[in-house]
Each structure stands twice: as structure tokens, then as C-alpha cells.
Amino acid sequence: MLAFQFLCSRNLSSLFRRRRVVSCQPVVTSFHAFFSTHIVGDTPVLVRDFIHSALYDPNHGYFSQRSRSVGVLDRSIKFNQLEGRKAYMNHLDKIYKQSDISWFTPVELFKPWYAHGIAEAIMRTANLSVPLKIYEIGGGSGTCAKGIMDYIMLNAPARVYNSMTYISVEISPSLAEIQRETVGEVGSHLSKFKVECRDAAVRSGWGDLDQQPCWVIMLEVLDNLPHDLAYSDNQVSPWKEVWVEKQHEGQRLTELYRPLEDALIKRCIETIESENRHSTSMKKRIWSKIFPKPRRCWLPTGCLKLLEVLHEALPKMSLIASDFSYLPDVSIPGERAPLVSTKRNGHSLDYASYLDAKGDADIFFPTDFWLLERMDHYCSGWLQLRGDKSSKQGKKRRTIVLDTSSFMEEFGLPSKTRTKGGYNPMLDDFKNTKFYLSVPTHNIK
């Protein structure tokens, strides 16, 4: 990849951040940097709980501290009227200055074409002989929902649109109201659209098991899900789970390493290590004697929990997820480490430790799409970590990973986001993002 593309990805990865939670509390105009000592009380907490509080605490979390209006463009960008990249970036800069928000999502910047590409992927794959049912987790401003419903209304048989249901699972009441307003711009959509204000990772919110086919959409959701951290003294020592504790002075946070006991962390580590457990054990032992060094591994336990809930509640769901596949310039150690970033005086500032996040910084992770696929298979009940892994079982999911440009070239209309000079930001500026598609097969054993 060219250096320019690499830097562009770094800039745009912070530019196109999605805010998942908007507090219903008044906007906080001042920030007290002691919040991290309030996250951790006298009792240590797991890293995932520390991250969840640092991001989502309703009074002091990052998304509450930076609570502003969700980025919604008044009108679609007319890419075909822009000369090239410089003109596009100038236009983008003007939009940000006028709106005074931190970021717009890709589905907003490229509306309606981004959502239309997702709708086309659903249309080509869905069984249209049964009513179409779509869930979107973290629906933002409702732009994706409206774009998909617009596309189906215009391009699908009337019976498909008339019988469809679109459900947004949104944790924020204020975002839920914005979504209703956005979708409600087309009156006929409202009878088919509803918002459920709840946490998608809580099983009880999904009600009884639903055996009907459906679609689940998650755009830039995985990167802000809580993660855990595992530590090992060397390449062959057992993993330990990491906790965060407050020192007696009360002003500094440190890590505490404990033997593995948390069931969710154990399942995540087993999913990661089961593939090469036997083939690499001898190599690791030899290597650890020559070059012993500590290991740190970030675990997407929030993603695993969400997938477990979805597969249990919606066993015949099809899934479309899009997120960052890597994050450049990450200085925090460990495999799949996050970028911890804030803005000061209009400039981005990256922290060297996640413990420095005091409610004033976004904490977002790259998505390991290989691991996402394994967790998806595991949660579907096909991949048995300790049992027979032979192909005779028959996979329960058909999965594919596509980079964003490949996905949009296949399902979208990339000509709509191309500038006069040929530069296409939807294809050219998302080198570090991918789409994950997963649909059920007919194999049930």
C-alpha cells in the first residue's frame, strides 16, 4: 500500500467514527480528569468493565462527555460535481466546521449509496418467499435504515416491501428518536419500522427463540464493544486474566493478574487457540527458552457475548457487519490492541495506555475477521472446540470477508461516489475496513 493510502486511512479512521451512545443528560461543558479513579472503586474490575465504563458511563463516559447532535447531512454529497480528492477534502472540512461535530459515519457521507449497496446484498441473498425481517444494531441517525427501506421500496416486488419489518436495536433513547424522524421522512416506512431501546447483548431483550429467517446489520459496532485483556509471563506460561485496580493513594491505576476464572474469557481464548494448539506447542516451547518474553492478548469478549446471544435468539439469522480491519499507529502493546484517542484544541491525541482514558478518550479496536468467523461458527453450534472438527459435520454458516471497495463494487453503485477526476472516496479511502457476510446453510447436524 502506498504511504499516502496508509496515512489517509489513519486520518479517515478517526474522521469516520460512529457514536454508539448519546447520553440523555445535558451536555457537559467541563471535564474532570479524575474519572478513571471513579471507574475503579475499592474492588478491582475486569478490563472489559473498565472499558465499558470509560466509554458508556452515563455521567462521565466518553460518549456522554462528548455528547452532541448526531452527524446528519442536510443533503447528499454530489460527488460527480467535485473535481477530485482535494475538492472532496475541502468540502468535507467545510461540512465539519458548519456542523461542529466530531465525525460522520460512512453511511451518512455516502448516502444513499452506501445503504443501497447493503440493501442489494440482502436482496440477492434473502429468501423473498417469506416476509423480510431486518434488525440493525446501533442504528445511529437512521440513515442506513431509511436508505435500505428506500431501495427495497423502489427495487423489490411490492409484496416484499409491504410485508417487510425493520427493527432498530438502539441503546440510546435520544438516538432512537432521531431514527424515527429520519425514517419517518417517507410516510409509508413508519408502519414497517420500529426502535427497541435496549442493549442487544442482553438475551432477555430478544424474547423467545425466533426460528424465522432474518437479517442483522452491524455497522461500526464491533470496534467499540468491550474487550478483555489476557497476560502471560512467556510464550508457554498459562494465560492470566487482567483486572484493573486502584492503588492505595487513589490517583493511579495498575493491572492485576489473576488465574483464568471468567467463563467468557476462557471461551474466547479457547476459540483463538483451538486451531493451532497441537501443531505449534513444540515450536513455542523451544522459542520461549531462547527468547522468553511476556505476552498480551486483547480478547473481543463483547463480540463473543453478542454473537452468543444472537445465535441463541435468532438461529436462522444472516449477518452483515462492517468495521476496521486494522488501525495504524497503535502504540498500546498486545495483539489486537486498541487505539485510545481524544481531541484537544482541534487535534487528535493518542494515549500510550488504555488506563490513561479518563472518560475523555475514544477506545476502539480493530476487528480480527478471521477470529470473527471462528466465533461465528462456534456460536452457531458447528465448531466444537474440544470435539470432532471433521468436515462431515457440515458447516452451519456460509461466510465471506470482503474489503469495502470489493463489497461496494459487487453490490453498490460506485459510479455515484466517483469525482470528475476519477477519485472515489468510498473505494479509495477505506483500505482498513472490511465487510463480513454470514448466512445459514441447510446443514443442521
Side-chain angles (χ1 to χ4, degrees):
M1 180 183 298
L2 297 175
F4 166 76
Q5 293 174 320
F6 186 84
L7 292 173
C8 186
S9 295
R10 172 66 178 94
N11 294 334
L12 292 174
S13 67
S14 61
L15 204 60
F16 300 144
R17 300 292 305 123
R18 170 190 286 253
R19 204 166 27 209
R20 223 78 57 212
V21 175
V22 175
S23 173
C24 294
Q25 303 294 328
V27 175
V28 179
T29 57
S30 62
F31 176 74
H32 301 286
F34 56 74
F35 172 55
S36 64
T37 60
H38 286 243
I39 298 177
V40 183
D42 296 330
T43 304
V45 297
L46 282 166
V47 170
R48 69 171 178 259
D49 296 322
F50 173 83
I51 291 175
H52 186 276
S53 295
L55 290 177
Y56 300 117
D57 182 275
N59 296 314
H60 303 287
Y62 173 73
F63 293 114
S64 299
Q65 290 288 325
R66 302 304 170 95
S67 178
R68 296 174 184 158
S69 298
V70 177
V72 179
L73 295 177
D74 293 335
R75 59 185 65 87
S76 300
I77 298 175
K78 297 180 180 179
F79 296 93
N80 299 148
Q81 295 181 8
L82 299 174
E83 291 295 335
R85 183 182 186 277
K86 183 178 180 180
Y88 169 71
M89 296 305 291
N90 288 338
H91 183 72
L92 207 59
D93 184 60
K94 181 180 178 181
I95 291 174
Y96 272 95
K97 288 180 179 178
Q98 291 175 342
S99 61
D100 190 33
I101 68 162
S102 296
W103 51 76
F104 288 95
T105 63
V107 74
E108 188 70 35
L109 287 174
F110 304 116
K111 68 178 181 184
W113 317 116
Y114 197 91
H116 285 188
I118 296 172
E120 176 62 19
I122 293 174
M123 292 290 295
R124 290 193 201 175
T125 314
N127 178 5
L128 299 181
S129 65
V130 298
L132 180 61
K133 190 174 189 179
I134 301 173
Y135 291 95
E136 184 181 2
I137 298 176
S141 63
T143 296
C144 182
K146 180 180 181 299
I148 289 176
M149 296 184 77
D150 286 347
Y151 188 87
I152 293 174
M153 178 179 66
L154 296 173
N155 295 279
R159 60 176 177 78
V160 175
Y161 173 73
N162 292 333
S163 63
M164 75 174 294
T165 304
Y166 198 111
I167 302 170
S168 173
V169 181
E170 176 57 60
I171 199 171
S172 165
S174 56
L175 278 178
E177 185 57 35
I178 294 173
Q179 292 169 21
R180 293 187 187 98
E181 293 176 0
T182 300
V183 175
E185 293 175 6
V186 179
S188 60
H189 290 348
L190 283 178
S191 62
K192 305 163 183 61
F193 176 80
K194 68 175 179 176
V195 184
E196 297 179 357
C197 287
R198 58 184 176 87
D199 185 345
V202 176
R203 173 64 182 89
S204 59
W206 294 94
D208 296 335
L209 182 147
D210 187 353
Q211 289 284 1
Q212 293 300 311
C214 66
W215 282 84
V216 175
I217 301 171
M218 297 188 293
L219 305 180
E220 296 84 53
V221 168
L222 302 177
D223 55 17
N224 273 147
L225 290 180
H227 282 55
D228 273 290
L229 180 60
Y231 173 84
S232 175
D233 295 323
N234 55 57
Q235 294 92 320
V236 295
S237 295
W239 286 110
K240 299 176 182 178
E241 57 191 38
V242 180
W243 293 65
V244 179
E245 66 175 350
K246 182 166 56 177
Q247 290 188 338
H248 296 299
E249 297 82 1
Q251 297 300 320
R252 188 163 176 262
L253 299 177
T254 59
E255 293 181 346
L256 175 66
Y257 309 123
R258 292 178 173 176
L260 284 183
E261 293 183 355
D262 184 78
L264 188 59
I265 294 177
K266 285 183 177 180
R267 293 198 299 275
C268 201
I269 291 177
E270 286 182 348
T271 307
I272 294 172
E273 295 193 334
S274 61
E275 179 77 5
N276 300 312
R277 180 180 293 136
H278 303 293
S279 61
T280 61
S281 59
M282 183 60 67
K283 183 188 298 184
K284 283 185 176 181
R285 291 184 181 277
I286 297 174
W287 198 254
S288 65
K289 291 181 179 180
I290 302 174
F291 300 108
K293 64 177 182 179
R295 293 186 297 163
R296 296 170 68 86
C297 181
W298 289 90
L299 307 170
T301 45
C303 176
L304 178 60
K305 180 183 177 182
L306 178 58
L307 286 174
E308 288 178 340
V309 167
L310 290 175
H311 277 290
E312 181 180 344
L314 309 170
K316 293 185 179 180
M317 72 161 180
S318 296
L319 174 66
I320 295 183
S322 176
D323 231 302
F324 300 106
S325 56
Y326 72 89
L327 297 172
D329 303 333
V330 174
S331 59
I332 294 175
E335 188 175 358
R336 293 178 294 272
L339 189 64
V340 181
S341 181
T342 189
K343 280 189 176 182
R344 291 181 183 172
N345 301 320
H347 300 284
S348 293
L349 173 66
D350 295 343
Y351 289 140
S353 170
Y354 70 97
L355 295 176
D356 293 332
K358 302 178 177 66
D360 65 337
D362 193 0
I363 306 172
F364 54 104
F365 294 81
T367 295
D368 183 335
F369 282 85
W370 172 85
L371 179 55
L372 175 62
E373 184 178 44
R374 285 188 63 78
M375 290 192 300
D376 187 24
H377 284 308
Y378 165 64
C379 294
S380 74
W382 169 69
L383 181 61
Q384 302 298 320
L385 299 180
R386 299 183 182 278
D388 179 22
K389 305 185 189 68
S390 70
S391 59
K392 294 180 180 179
Q393 297 178 33
K395 290 187 178 181
K396 290 188 176 182
R397 313 287 296 177
R398 289 189 293 116
T399 59
I400 186 172
V401 177
L402 297 170
D403 58 61
T404 297
S405 60
S406 297
F407 179 90
M408 289 300 172
E409 286 174 339
E410 175 66 28
F411 299 109
L413 291 171
S415 62
K416 298 294 186 179
T417 56
R418 185 179 299 124
T419 63
K420 292 180 180 179
Y423 164 73
N424 193 325
M426 189 168 69
L427 304 184
D428 300 336
D429 288 344
F430 287 84
K431 302 300 183 183
N432 62 337
T433 62
K434 294 182 184 296
F435 273 84
Y436 177 73
L437 286 77
S438 172
V439 300
T441 68
H442 298 293
N443 298 309
I444 58 174
K445 295 182 179 180

